[in-house]
Amino acid sequence: MHKADVGEGPPPKEELIVVPHHKVSTDSDNNANRLVFPGPSYALADVEMKQDDDGKYALYSTKDFAFGERVYEFWRMDWPFGGRDPIDMVASNKLNENDLTDGTIMRLVPTECAAKKDRSGHFLFSGWDLLTQHSCEPNLTYNDLHEDEEDEWQGAYATRAIKKGEKLTIDYNSVLWDRSDSRNADECNCGAGKCVGTMMGFKFLPKEAQLERKLMTWRRVSPPYDGEKDTDYLGMALTPHVRECWRADEKLSGDCPDTAPSDSSSSESSSSDDSDSSDEED
């Protein structure tokens, strides 16, 4: 320690900030493990992380995207440090103007953010993808029909045309089965025309909202599908975790579509092979 640090001796001529000031989330007073994670530029993604009008970090597009286009790819893994504990995600070295300043801290609580689950119900960590916020009519979805759920790299796709600068959203009620342990999940104010008024998860949706999501294609197109090809697989707008819970639920299992593949290594791959062979025969 220098004498100037304790008010003794001549004052410093200039003070340099060697490490950028951390921007800490509102519940940072609770201890959490820190995890340094690279920003979207490391995945060559045309998205950026920034705070919205409510001060929450969110994802925004940095270019226009067409319906069905892959917006970005992201890496996912088991939630670290015990599987349920909050994480302070620290932004790593800034590569371009769309990245946050290195050292920026974002508090991620698995029950509150966009954390998905595997079939066994364990939370998955996916870095900056966790900053996607909820909408009952989201502009992003995941392609569990054509992508191997065992692959750590996954893609997020546009459910409609997305404009540059638009906030990126997913439907929490299609991604998770039960969010009843999440704060304020019992109400939704997303402003969508078909807002269901809750973010509690698929289990708690009204029957008509469950049916609507069951009948959607993986790109969230509803009947009459308007040229969609993948209409043989019901429930593909839902994650494998939701479909697995759906089958196990005594009240809803009778409505679970048999055509929704039950695991990536058997049903989905065989269905894909059958489709490929039929195309060759045609």
Side-chain angles (χ1 to χ4, degrees), residues 116-156:
K116 290 158 280 295
K117 290 184 177 181
D118 62 16
R119 288 182 182 273
S120 300
H122 300 130
F123 281 112
L124 299 171
F125 181 83
S126 54
W128 42 267
D129 168 69
L130 296 170
L131 300 180
T132 50
Q133 295 187 11
H134 168 77
S135 173
C136 293
E137 293 181 296
N139 52 22
L140 288 184
T141 190
Y142 304 107
N143 186 359
D144 291 306
L145 178 59
H146 299 108
E147 293 183 352
D148 184 357
E149 68 183 83
E150 301 300 327
D151 190 349
E152 286 86 359
W153 280 100
Q154 296 288 310

Side-chain angles (χ1 to χ4, degrees), residues 2 21 73 93 104 110 122 138 146 177 182 190 206 246:
H2 297 281
H21 292 302
E73 286 186 306
N93 292 338
T104 300
H122 300 130
H146 299 108
W177 174 256
S182 177
C190 68
W246 190 357

Side-chain angles (χ1 to χ4, degrees), residues 39-47 71-73 128:
S41 63
Y42 284 80
L44 303 179
D46 293 309
V47 300
V71 178
Y72 60 81
E73 286 186 306
W128 42 267

